[in-house]
Amino acid sequence: MKRLIIAPTIALGFACIGSISAAQDQIHTTNLPNFTVTAPADQYETYVVDLHTGYGLEAFVGNTHSQYMQAARAAERSEALRKLGMSPQPLVAMAIDNSSGPGVAKRILLSDSAQSTVAIVDVYCKRAVPIGRKHCQLFSRQTQVSV
């Protein structure tokens, strides 16, 4: 009787071993010295800057090409909602491509309806960062209002 139970148990064990190895093949780990990629491969980073002018800037940063494409679509959707007045917060959305080269340095000029620059946001992004740190830093400043 024991032999009848042992044989199916061993066969079931071999069947489970194959499915466990297949599940492990789906996990991709990248180990670099002092760096670890913790975000999912298809998720972009979001940065929000309050400009103290009644609205702010929301930057969607893609660190790979596919992340940048998703960030660009998200920025388009967010801008469309803002222009229709359906956005919960008045944030100007922009996608930033950080997928090539050593990093990005970009200056964003925000203008009012009279085409006067009301705020400047400098964006600095790195391609590789230590664990737990963001890829980008945003620095904003308001321009002088002439009377």
Side-chain angles (χ1 to χ4, degrees):
M1 183 74 169
K2 288 183 183 180
R3 291 183 185 173
L4 292 175
I5 295 174
I6 294 173
T9 304
I10 293 173
L12 180 62
F14 285 129
C16 291
I17 289 171
S19 63
I20 290 170
S21 66
Q24 289 176 347
D25 290 342
Q26 295 174 1
I27 298 171
H28 300 286
T29 305
T30 303
N31 291 322
L32 300 171
N34 300 325
F35 298 97
T36 302
V37 178
T38 56
D42 60 343
Q43 186 172 346
Y44 53 86
E45 294 178 358
T46 303
Y47 298 86
V48 177
V49 177
D50 184 11
L51 301 173
H52 305 290
T53 57
Y55 56 94
L57 174 74
E58 186 173 33
F60 300 113
V61 178
N63 296 307
T64 65
H65 181 69
S66 64
Q67 288 177 358
Y68 172 66
M69 296 308 294
Q70 289 182 345
R73 287 190 295 272
E76 288 174 12
R77 285 190 303 269
S78 182
E79 273 297 288
L81 289 174
R82 183 185 67 82
K83 289 178 180 178
L84 290 172
M86 299 173 61
S87 177
Q89 298 175 341
L91 297 173
V92 176
M94 171 171 272
I96 297 173
D97 187 4
N98 188 32
S99 65
S100 61
V104 173
K106 188 171 198 163
R107 174 166 280 179
I108 302 167
L109 303 174
L110 296 160
S111 303
D112 60 8
S113 59
Q115 299 302 317
S116 300
T117 302
V118 294
I120 298 171
V121 178
D122 293 319
V123 179
Y124 302 101
C125 298
K126 296 179 183 179
R127 291 277 300 142
V129 294
I131 298 170
R133 297 215 180 144
K134 296 277 190 171
H135 284 88
C136 300
Q137 292 181 343
L138 280 70
F139 301 97
S140 65
R141 64 183 169 104
Q142 294 178 353
T143 60
Q144 298 294 328
V145 179
S146 58
V147 180

